[in-house]
Amino acid sequence: MNPAAFALLRLASPQLPIGGYSYSQGLEMAVECERVRDEASARRWLGDQLLLNLARFEAPLLLAHCQAAAAEDWTELERLADCHRASRETRELRLESRQMGYSLKQLLNNLPELDAPARALFQRIDEPGLALGWALAARAWGIGPEDALTAWLWGWLENQLAVLMKTLPLGQQAAQRLTSQLLPTLQQAQRDATLIEPEHWGSAAFGLSLTSMAHERQYSRLFRS
């Protein structure tokens, strides 16, 4: 097996100790409000997220992080990290990115694969976000930018399905059906993210933002805010 494939599986693994499983990105509140109430509405919510939000902004921004890291363009990577931090629309989303970025920093700083320039960049940035940490992890493990984006998109979908299995509830077979149904959408989101020009980056996911803000005040919840 190609060693790069093992590295990709490592990056995409839910066992990566950065705490992604503890966040729902507002999906828990969407279930509480019955915007997501069954398999069909879950498919619609996740599909809209992929094509109307991630593919138009989150994914191309993360891909740009990975490209800058691969090219050792540290100035551009710092600029992108600032853009990513400023783009978090709710307190919950900012705290999620900050905590996962910090966890990636702690992990990578204790591994031999992280080289001196990347360590120096981590030291210069007070609040590394998830996108920055992901890009530096991909660089350290020899994963190309587009493959790193694939791992991130897959991890996002897998985490969202795990949220649904705990909150809807959604059975494992139903989650696998949703995976099969959403794989073409996942591929389209990746393709769109690689083609969109920076001047066209942007999404207006008002429903997601409002749901995330409401989740911060949800009385009883399983996932972090």
Side-chain angles (χ1 to χ4, degrees):
M1 188 175 183
N2 187 334
F6 286 119
L8 187 60
L9 289 171
R10 181 185 188 183
L11 184 62
S13 172
Q15 298 303 313
L16 193 69
I18 59 174
Y21 63 87
S22 61
Y23 295 98
S24 77
Q25 296 197 346
L27 182 53
E28 183 176 24
M29 189 65 196
V31 172
E32 175 77 12
C33 296
E34 297 188 347
R35 292 189 181 94
V36 175
R37 59 189 178 277
D38 53 24
E39 194 173 329
S41 57
R43 179 183 179 184
R44 183 168 57 251
W45 177 275
L46 297 179
D48 286 351
Q49 267 267 69
L50 281 166
L51 296 182
L52 303 179
N53 181 32
L54 301 188
R56 295 181 179 183
F57 183 70
E58 300 286 346
L61 181 58
L62 181 126
L63 178 61
H65 277 76
C66 295
Q67 290 168 335
E72 300 186 4
D73 189 344
W74 308 118
T75 300
E76 174 65 3
L77 192 53
E78 287 191 64
R79 186 190 71 80
L80 290 166
D82 287 341
C83 289
H84 185 264
R85 183 167 54 251
S87 69
R88 302 306 87 191
E89 293 179 306
T90 69
R91 179 176 179 271
E92 176 178 85
L93 294 176
R94 178 171 181 177
L95 291 177
E96 175 185 350
S97 178
R98 186 175 72 178
Q99 182 271 308
M100 294 175 71
Y102 174 80
S103 296
L104 268 173
K105 176 182 177 179
Q106 294 298 102
L107 170 66
L108 293 170
N109 275 333
N110 285 294
L111 295 177
E113 298 98 316
L114 192 70
D115 60 15
R119 291 180 189 275
L121 180 66
F122 264 143
Q123 291 301 316
R124 290 199 299 273
I125 296 181
D126 293 331
E127 190 180 305
L130 173 61
L132 176 65
W134 196 269
L136 292 179
R139 179 176 180 273
W141 294 337
I143 300 169
E146 291 196 15
D147 284 341
L149 174 61
T150 299
W152 180 77
L153 285 168
W154 175 256
W156 177 87
L157 179 60
E158 194 171 54
N159 180 67
Q160 292 284 280
L161 290 172
V163 172
L164 290 171
M165 285 191 285
K166 294 176 182 177
T167 59
L168 197 52
L170 188 78
Q172 291 183 338
Q173 290 192 19
Q176 287 300 315
R177 280 196 302 272
L178 274 175
T179 301
S180 294
Q181 293 164 0
L182 287 167
L183 277 178
T185 309
L186 197 70
Q187 293 168 343
Q188 183 181 343
Q190 182 188 28
R191 185 166 55 250
D192 291 351
T194 61
L195 296 175
I196 189 170
E197 296 294 334
E199 59 266 28
H200 298 303
W201 291 359
S203 66
F206 299 120
L208 174 64
S209 298
L210 292 170
T211 304
S212 174
M213 286 188 285
H215 186 250
E216 294 174 5
R217 303 186 301 276
Q218 186 171 335
Y219 174 70
S220 177
R221 57 177 182 258
L222 296 174
F223 296 91
R224 293 178 66 176
S225 182

